[in-house]
Each structure stands twice: as structure tokens, then as C-alpha cells.
Amino acid sequence: MAAPAFADAGDSPTLQRIQERGVVSIGHRETSIPFSYIGAENEPIGYSIDLCLKIVDAIAAELGVDSLDVHYVPVTGQTRIPLIANGTIDMECGSTTNNLTRQLQVEYLPTTFITGTKLASKVSSGITELEDMQGKIIGLASGTTNEKAIKAAIEAENLDVKIVPVKDHSQGWLALETDRIDAYGSDDVLLYGLISKSSEPAAYHVTGRYLSFDPYALMVQRNDSTFERLGRATMAGLMRSGEMAKIYAKWFEPGPTKINMPLSDTLRTAFEVQALPE
């Protein structure tokens, strides 16, 4: 009898889905620079995309094929979790914070970045902390941890700040550039990325204390321990070999957008701790 086209996908719903389709569906952000954004060739590129493609290679090896097609699906802060939960996408490769509330709906692979919420504004605005937003307008991307953190901080400080919800980072940044908002709140690394791609980077700055703690990780479907283990093993291997640090350097030191964020001691330690032995 002829050998099967695929190896056994086992008890993994995700691997079974990929086996049937011959395609890995990757959810990506369009403006989460430099994690996941649209490059010059109109294709998703970035740090998180590179990591997900390493997992695609591991999936192909697990299923006994030379390669697999990749189908990219754009997602937003509001759609990314539902699309993972319902199996429309197999992985989400963006700039997503791992927290316990979200783990009720999705699962996360090892931490790949550590950041937190800050504010971006024009240098001429005089805004350096959230308290300087009294009587002003802030833009926040819907469905993000930043939205939750800044709303909580505004309430705690009893500030009079008008909140304008936006669909994604590009919409928020355009609102800031055109003076429809006074500041845009997001993870500091994403704000630096937006500034690096703006027409006048020197006109903007990122300021203020951290208003949240946000460890990023790739998202996968819950209740699929076989696929989750494959992803964890792939990430651990990259961290153990030092390849993870090299991929990081490609995008951040200084990277194509000149963001220039060297690997921090905290993240380096996180890589070391998560580099589980085989």
C-alpha cells in the first residue's frame, strides 16, 4: 500500500484541521510594528511572524510533509481572540498580552516580549504623564489591555479625559497626527514603532510611567495540549539555541524601522527560564 500523504495528526484538533486543509491559517496585525505589520511587498512581516513561521516548519515536520501553505488573516484587538477560539485561525502572531482573563478563552505559548502601557503625544503638547491629560482627548484601541489600564487609571485619578475608541493602531495614529486626539495610549514598544514609521518622528515622544505590565505571547486554541506542546517545544528550542535572540536582534537592534531596543536583561532572563530541556 502507498504511504499516507500525512503522518498522524493524533488527538490535536488544530493539527487535524491543518492536515485536512493543507494550510496553516495565521492571524496577524497590520500595524503592530515591528511585531506584525504589512511590509513593502504587501505581505505580513515582523518579529512575531518570523516566530510563527518557525512553528509552521515544526508542524510540517510533525505531519511528515516538506512544507505547508500559509494563509494570512488580518485581525484586530477585538477579533483576534474570537477567531482563535472558533478555529478560524490556527495561531495569532501579533502583539497580544497574555493574561489570566484571556486564558479562559485561549491559550498562550512562552513569553516573547515584555512591555507596558504608556502615552504617545506630540512633543509640543506638554504631555508627560496621564495627569497632564486633564481636559484633553486620548485615543485607545478597542479590545486591548491598554484600553482597560488607562480607563482604570483615569477613574482612579478622577481625571476629566475624553476617550475616543479606535479600531486599530493606524487609525489611532492618524487621529494623533491630525490633532483629533491629544495622545494615543498603547504598549510603549508599539508607540516607538509607530513613531519610527511616521513622517516626522522627531515631533512625537513616548512618556509617562508604565500603567500596565504586558507580557506578549503567541496565541493558540485552548484544550489542544498536543498542538500547544508543539508550539512550546519550538519556542523553547529557539531560546535554548540562541536563535530567538538573533530573531529579536533582526527586528529591534535596530531593525528595519530603526526602533533600536536592545534585548533587555529581563527578557533575556525570560528566554533563559523558558528554554526547557528536551
Side-chain angles (χ1 to χ4, degrees):
M1 294 179 64
F6 293 99
D8 186 4
D11 60 356
S12 166
T14 307
L15 288 177
Q16 291 170 6
R17 188 166 59 240
I18 294 169
Q19 182 184 62
E20 291 168 2
R21 299 172 178 171
V23 173
V24 182
S25 294
I26 289 180
H28 70 93
R29 301 298 293 272
E30 295 183 303
T31 53
S32 286
I33 304 163
F35 297 89
S36 176
Y37 64 104
I38 302 300
E41 303 299 319
N42 205 33
E43 283 286 318
I45 60 172
Y47 175 59
S48 297
I49 298 295
D50 279 3
L51 298 180
C52 277
L53 292 178
K54 293 292 184 181
I55 297 176
V56 171
D57 290 342
I59 295 169
E62 186 76 9
L63 295 178
V65 296
D66 292 333
S67 62
L68 287 163
D69 289 335
V70 174
H71 173 54
Y72 288 110
V73 179
V75 299
T76 67
Q78 292 176 301
T79 64
R80 56 190 169 178
I81 290 176
L83 291 178
I84 278 284
N86 67 21
T88 299
I89 56 177
D90 303 309
M91 296 182 285
E92 192 267 344
C93 311
S95 53
T96 300
T97 299
N98 179 358
N99 63 36
L100 297 175
T101 300
R102 288 174 171 174
Q103 286 182 22
L104 294 172
Q105 301 178 72
V106 296
E107 190 52 80
Y108 290 86
L109 299 184
T111 298
T112 56
F113 196 83
I114 297 171
T115 183
T117 303
K118 287 196 174 186
L119 306 179
S121 61
K122 291 186 175 179
V123 175
S124 59
S125 70
I127 296 169
T128 58
E129 280 285 2
L130 184 64
E131 288 74 14
D132 298 322
M133 291 297 299
Q134 180 72 13
K136 293 183 169 62
I137 305 172
I138 190 167
L140 299 172
S142 300
T144 62
T145 54
N146 316 113
E147 178 187 37
K148 182 178 179 181
I150 290 180
K151 283 183 175 180
I154 288 171
E155 183 177 353
E157 296 288 334
N158 195 28
L159 299 173
D160 176 21
V161 180
K162 181 180 178 181
I163 296 170
V164 173
V166 299
K167 183 183 72 171
D168 54 26
H169 301 309
S170 59
Q171 189 179 81
W173 196 256
L174 178 61
L176 181 61
E177 287 184 321
T178 55
D179 296 318
R180 284 177 285 166
I181 59 176
D182 299 295
Y184 182 59
S186 188
D187 294 331
D188 66 342
V189 63
L190 299 181
L191 297 175
Y192 283 119
L194 290 165
I195 289 173
S196 73
K197 295 286 283 185
S198 69
S199 59
E200 194 179 353
Y204 302 92
H205 61 178
V206 178
T207 59
R209 63 193 181 278
Y210 280 114
L211 299 171
S212 68
F213 166 66
D214 293 272
Y216 286 178
L218 307 178
M219 278 198 300
V220 296
Q221 204 165 22
R222 280 193 75 210
N223 303 320
D224 190 344
S225 58
T226 297
F227 186 72
E228 180 189 340
R229 185 199 171 279
L230 178 64
R232 287 187 177 280
T234 304
M235 293 294 101
L238 294 174
M239 294 172 182
R240 191 169 56 247
S241 69
E243 189 173 357
M244 180 72 85
K246 292 178 181 178
I247 296 173
Y248 180 96
K250 170 185 172 182
W251 293 101
F252 293 93
E253 300 178 7
T257 63
K258 310 300 180 186
I259 195 168
N260 198 23
M261 293 184 70
L263 185 62
S264 69
D265 291 341
T266 301
L267 189 56
R268 188 183 303 278
T269 299
F271 289 170
E272 293 171 352
V273 169
Q274 296 176 113
L276 304 177
E278 293 181 347

